[in-house]
Amino acid sequence: MGERIFTAGGPSYQEVKDKLFDQFVHPCYENNAGMSGEALEKGFLELAENKGKLTRPELRAGLFCYVAENARVGVDPEDWFANHFDTCSQILVRHRENWRKEYGEGPLHDAEELLRRGKRTGAFEAELDLGHISPGWRFLLHEGVPGIIRRAQDGLDRDGGEEENGFYRSVLRVYGGFLKLMKRLELEADRMAAEHPLHADRMEKLSACLSALEQGPPGTFYEALQLACLFHQLIEFEGEWVRSMGSFELNFGPYYEADIREGRITGEDARELIRFFWMKFFANTRGSGNGKNFYFGGLCADGTDTAGPLSRLALEVYYELNQPDPKLSIKWNSRTGGSFKRLVAKCLRDGRTSMVIINDEEALEAIRKRGVSEADSYDYLLIGCYEPAIEGKEVGCNMCVKFNLAKPVELALFNGTDPMTGEQIGVRTGESRDFTSFEEFYEAYEKQMAKLLSDVQEAVRAYEGCWDQINPEPFLSGTFLPCLEKGRDISRSGPDYNNTGSMGGGLANAADSLLAVKKLVFEEKRYTMDELKAMLGADFKDCEWERLYLVNRVSKWGNNQEDVDALACRVAKSYTGMVNGVPNGRGGQFTASLFTLDHCFSLGHHTGALPDGRTQGHYIAKGIGAMTGLDKAGVTAQIQSVSKLDFTEIPNGSVLDIYLHPTAVDGEKGIDTLIHLIETYFARGGYGIQFNILNADELRRAQKHPGEYATLQVRVCGWNVYFVTLNEEEQNHFIETTMQVV
């Protein structure tokens, strides 16, 4: 039997949670345990001048280590985990942005101009996406820091050439810096043990944990959590935002089960560790930002589901904490256990809605359809919100492109000219008054879409070609076995899969607007094309009756009405056909998704009035479902509409937002209702689904009296926040959306 990690001494999570919540607001840096911020920045900038003319990857590795080895560190004697070091206001990221600016003003000037124009006109937003990244979690936990160092040294000993040797030297440099940082944290834990006798036992165990991780891979649940915590912190310091923490069960379950079996911990000990561990992520966002994603469940190659004892325990802790962060993804499949499904539904019913439910079988089919091997496909995790990527083998850049599907409607109407700015951003498809059929109009819509997509793809390819000079990533690359085997950085296409995500937003606005043109101009001839354009150009001024007619008397996506549903499916097919398989700049391909996230606001602000009755500057539809307030036939009808899409052609993910009144899911029958909705959608081929269970009256009260509703959560997109942290436009969106929910 092993030694118990926990003892009766030391403060519990409940006793210190408020202090832990403020740990990044008031970090516990020790002034004598590293350089002052001013001295650190001065030394960093001197090193960054690169007088020795190192390559970019080697310079970045040196800068990384300079901070890791010299920044102040801090250990809270009441915390179980150590991950605080003073990054000097993310100095490495700030320096990286200088390189990005250098290239944006130089060789990428034309690409940057394209991106500015797209954003200015609401056609698209795009970037070199360094924010949708996940390391190879199981690989790094299996190897530990010493194992990664050995693999890099083996690669260097092979002497494969200048680029490979430079890569291995950079990996060795940053992981050597990681070991030194762990040693510094270990010594600080020793000092805390001496200075705080009441917490000596906790600090001695933390010190022993760090010492063990310096020598090899984790051997206990505690050590695995500590290593994951530090890897997360250092990857984000390098400049890549970690958007998935992987499978909680597969990453940590073997350590947990071994500890239980050997008597090192109890179930309650594990719960307490999870509370402290998850607070690290919640304290970072404080209920107002995009959280960290852990996934639960998922099919294995042998047909079993991965959700095990640790998954249930972790979900129980999630329910107890009732916090927006971390956020959870649930891989739901035919082998998901009934009790696990009920626990998930109970969380949703009771307002713990910071989770998305993914149709595991549908996701696997879509992943394989884009060229991922069957063996690799089971290892997909959910990056960011709903976007699948293969753990340890793929850098998907899942949110690189944010595309406005409604914009080509405007351009087809106005011959390629953006009506809000007067810029010619599309192709000249002819004066719309001269179109003699809806098919001609739709052909113009497709040509405008193709032009915009070609523009943004060209710009992204240019940026991807300069990735290695803007953001070489030796630390993150060290967590990818393919990178270590090939001797190539992530920025040089080291992983096996190097794809680029392309989000399509505003599907409802596109379909609803196209149907309005089809019915009212070409079929019923209620308006001429010029009359419709005049109304739109005036933003419906003095035309409120006509606007209401467009809103209320023309079929709308999300109500199981065949005419508009067929158009939505056609738009989706046009879009995915212009995205999937198109080569990117990293030896991979673009992959299509359909959702909007909070870009529904920024894209909508630069989009003029539309034939669906939406006014100029108003947000576009959120997610894959109906436009706000227009799903008037209820939840079942919306599911029937959306599930007509072919989700195997949307490999980068999608989500259906469902809004329910609390009374609709009350009690045990409410749990049954939620399970039925999820399984109905999935049986029809749906991909992802998420819930808001809200009362519009309560939201109005929260808007007026925010102090009384400080912990009221809403699911914004792929994450939850506290309602009171949203701006007025975003709050009003939730109120408008829930007004018709009964």
Side-chain angles (χ1 to χ4, degrees):
M1 299 287 283
E3 179 187 357
R4 280 278 306 279
I5 286 180
F6 278 73
T7 67
S12 69
Y13 172 80
Q14 287 299 322
E15 292 172 313
V16 296
K17 66 177 183 178
D18 291 339
K19 177 186 177 185
L20 295 174
F21 183 65
D22 288 333
Q23 62 184 281
F24 295 106
V25 177
H26 306 294
C28 55
Y29 301 136
E30 170 54 44
N31 288 331
N32 295 324
M35 291 182 178
S36 68
E38 182 179 350
L40 187 74
E41 181 142 7
K42 180 181 178 183
F44 180 97
L45 294 175
E46 289 175 355
L47 183 62
E49 289 180 7
N50 196 18
K51 293 177 180 176
K53 301 303 179 185
L54 297 170
T55 65
R56 280 272 164 100
E58 291 179 313
L59 173 59
R60 199 141 197 264
L63 294 171
F64 179 103
C65 288
Y66 179 80
V67 178
E69 294 168 8
N70 294 289
R72 294 179 300 163
V73 298
V75 173
D76 182 348
E78 296 181 321
D79 199 350
W80 275 102
F81 298 101
N83 68 328
H84 286 289
F85 68 103
D86 187 358
T87 65
C88 202
S89 301
Q90 286 295 95
I91 190 171
L92 198 60
V93 175
R94 289 190 282 122
H95 186 260
R96 186 270 312 283
E97 289 309 297
N98 292 333
W99 287 348
R100 192 198 293 256
K101 183 179 179 183
E102 169 195 330
Y103 271 76
E105 293 175 350
L108 294 173
H109 176 268
D110 291 346
E112 186 64 18
E113 280 300 307
L114 271 176
L115 298 186
R116 287 197 192 100
R117 189 180 72 187
K119 186 172 184 177
R120 184 171 61 244
T121 59
F124 52 76
E125 298 171 7
E127 60 190 329
L128 181 60
D129 182 7
L130 306 172
H132 286 77
I133 297 293
S134 177
W137 284 112
R138 293 199 291 287
F139 171 71
L140 70 85
L141 288 167
H142 179 268
E143 296 288 314
V145 178
I148 293 172
I149 289 174
R150 281 193 298 273
R151 286 182 178 268
Q153 186 61 55
D154 289 344
L156 187 60
D157 291 343
R158 289 195 297 269
D159 192 16
E162 184 177 345
E163 180 179 345
E164 290 182 27
N165 290 344
F167 168 76
Y168 290 125
R169 284 194 298 268
S170 296
V171 173
L172 288 169
R173 184 80 175 91
V174 293
Y175 279 87
F178 189 6
L179 284 179
K180 291 179 181 178
L181 176 62
M182 279 203 286
K183 173 57 72 174
R184 297 174 66 213
L185 290 168
E186 177 196 339
L187 294 174
E188 190 63 13
D190 290 338
R191 192 176 71 81
M192 290 293 103
E195 291 187 5
H196 300 273
L198 290 176
H199 310 306
D201 181 71
R202 184 168 297 187
M203 289 297 96
E204 287 166 2
K205 286 183 167 59
L206 174 57
S207 175
C209 173
L210 292 165
S211 178
L213 292 173
E214 293 160 32
Q215 307 305 315
T220 68
F221 184 54
Y222 179 34
E223 290 171 7
L225 293 175
Q226 172 63 70
L227 188 60
C229 185
L230 274 173
F231 260 103
H232 168 272
Q233 205 75 357
L234 281 163
I235 292 168
E236 296 215 332
F237 164 63
E238 188 181 48
E240 302 89 40
W241 311 132
V242 179
R243 292 297 179 86
S244 179
M245 298 298 292
S247 165
F248 204 83
E249 185 75 46
L250 296 178
N251 288 351
F252 306 119
Y255 302 100
Y256 164 75
E257 291 182 28
D259 281 358
I260 291 289
R261 187 169 58 249
E262 296 297 322
R264 287 188 288 264
I265 62 173
T266 66
E268 183 49 43
D269 292 339
R271 290 174 190 269
E272 188 75 344
L273 280 174
I274 294 170
R275 294 178 187 115
F276 277 82
F277 179 62
W278 277 354
M279 175 55 85
K280 291 290 181 184
F281 307 106
F282 182 38
N284 250 322
T285 64
R286 299 177 69 81
S288 62
N290 196 335
K292 297 301 170 185
N293 193 345
F294 293 86
Y295 81 81
F296 293 82
L299 285 169
C300 297
D302 63 4
T304 60
D305 183 72
T306 62
L310 182 60
S311 296
R312 184 172 186 88
L313 185 146
L315 249 67
E316 290 170 352
V317 174
Y318 165 81
Y319 184 93
E320 168 210 318
L321 295 177
N322 192 20
Q323 296 168 174
D325 199 17
K327 59 185 185 182
L328 311 183
S329 296
I330 311 297
K331 292 185 180 182
W332 189 292
N333 56 67
S334 58
R335 303 303 297 270
T336 304
S339 62
F340 190 73
K341 290 178 181 178
R342 296 194 72 80
L343 180 54
V344 169
K346 176 186 175 184
C347 290
L348 293 170
R349 180 198 65 184
D350 294 342
R352 280 75 166 164
T353 56
S354 190
M355 60 170 69
V356 63
I357 322 298
I358 299 296
N359 184 346
D360 199 24
E361 281 99 345
E362 192 76 12
L364 287 168
E365 185 177 350
I367 289 166
R368 293 166 188 164
K369 202 169 181 179
R370 66 172 168 88
V372 173
S373 71
E374 181 175 352
D376 286 345
S377 67
Y378 293 106
D379 287 330
Y380 81 90
L381 42 69
L382 283 306
I383 293 281
C385 303
Y386 339 102
E387 311 96 291
I390 308 306
E391 180 180 320
K393 293 188 176 183
E394 179 172 7
V395 173
C397 299
N398 306 82
M399 281 292 293
C400 192
V401 176
K402 283 77 70 174
F403 188 80
N404 184 352
L405 292 166
K407 196 70 185 182
V409 176
E410 279 193 296
L411 300 183
L413 284 165
F414 293 94
N415 199 13
T417 301
D418 173 38
M420 287 186 69
T421 66
E423 295 180 73
Q424 183 75 29
I425 64 170
V427 291
R428 296 191 182 278
T429 46
E431 293 295 334
S432 54
R433 71 167 70 92
D434 297 332
F435 295 149
T436 59
S437 70
F438 175 73
E439 285 306 311
E440 286 185 63
F441 186 81
Y442 191 85
E443 182 181 352
Y445 172 79
E446 281 196 314
K447 287 179 179 177
Q448 300 296 348
M449 181 192 293
K451 173 62 165 65
L452 296 179
L453 282 170
S454 176
D455 283 350
V456 71
Q457 289 164 355
E458 176 187 346
V460 168
R461 274 192 291 266
Y463 260 97
E464 289 179 327
C466 298
W467 188 337
D468 62 329
Q469 295 301 301
I470 294 173
N471 196 70
E473 304 169 24
F475 188 77
L476 179 61
S477 297
T479 73
F480 278 67
L481 179 58
C483 291
L484 290 170
E485 290 177 336
K486 299 171 188 175
R488 283 162 61 190
D489 191 89
I490 281 171
S491 64
R492 297 282 293 168
S493 305
D496 289 344
Y497 306 102
N498 298 279
N499 298 317
T500 302
S502 181
M503 178 205 82
L507 176 65
N509 305 100
D512 295 349
S513 294
L514 287 166
L515 183 67
V517 172
K518 182 175 187 285
K519 287 179 68 70
L520 302 183
V521 175
F522 290 105
E523 293 179 357
E524 298 177 6
K525 302 189 184 302
R526 184 180 184 88
Y527 309 117
T528 66
M529 192 70 81
D530 283 342
E531 288 170 338
L532 177 62
K533 288 168 62 179
M535 285 191 286
L536 301 179
D539 194 24
F540 297 108
K541 184 179 179 181
D542 300 325
C543 301
E544 181 62 11
W545 190 93
E546 286 83 357
R547 189 188 75 81
L548 291 175
Y549 188 92
L550 291 169
V551 171
N552 296 307
R553 301 299 294 275
V554 182
S555 300
K556 294 292 184 287
W557 168 245
N559 294 281
N560 195 30
Q561 295 173 310
E562 189 54 42
D563 51 359
V564 69
D565 290 1
L567 266 177
C569 292
R570 187 177 182 184
V571 169
K573 186 174 182 179
S574 297
Y575 171 70
T576 58
M578 296 178 195
V579 173
N580 290 330
V582 173
N584 64 7
R586 300 183 289 124
Q589 58 184 292
F590 287 90
T591 60
S593 59
L594 282 175
F595 51 81
T596 319
L597 303 181
D598 48 357
H599 297 281
C600 63
F601 298 102
S602 56
L603 292 172
H605 291 164
H606 300 285
T607 301
L610 292 173
D612 63 353
R614 177 197 151 279
T615 55
Q616 176 178 303
H618 194 58
Y619 54 78
I620 59 174
K622 196 174 188 180
I624 203 171
M627 182 59 178
T628 303
L630 297 183
D631 51 333
K632 296 182 179 181
V635 172
T636 301
Q638 182 153 213
I639 285 174
Q640 289 174 313
S641 281
V642 174
S643 59
K644 293 172 185 175
L645 297 167
D646 181 358
F647 289 94
T648 68
E649 292 294 333
I650 312 171
N652 196 43
S654 65
V655 70
L656 174 61
D657 289 277
I658 296 293
Y659 289 77
L660 298 170
H661 193 279
T663 57
V665 292
D666 191 34
E668 286 299 305
K669 287 186 178 179
I671 290 177
D672 295 333
T673 297
L674 286 163
I675 292 173
H676 176 71
L677 285 173
I678 294 166
E679 298 202 323
T680 297
Y681 184 51
F682 289 175
R684 295 177 62 87
Y687 173 82
I689 190 169
Q690 62 189 18
F691 294 85
N692 268 298
I693 299 173
L694 301 169
N695 182 332
D697 291 335
E698 185 177 34
L699 295 182
R700 290 191 191 94
R701 289 193 294 271
Q703 194 176 49
K704 292 179 180 178
H705 308 287
E708 298 175 19
Y709 293 87
T711 60
L712 175 63
Q713 293 183 41
V714 292
R715 187 146 182 87
V716 175
C717 304
W719 63 91
N720 276 33
V721 301
Y722 291 131
F723 178 76
V724 297
T725 66
L726 298 173
N727 63 42
E728 185 177 5
E729 181 184 25
E730 292 167 330
Q731 288 182 346
N732 287 339
H733 169 266
F734 277 98
I735 292 170
E736 292 167 15
T737 305
T738 56
M739 280 174 61
Q740 70 186 67
V741 175
V742 294

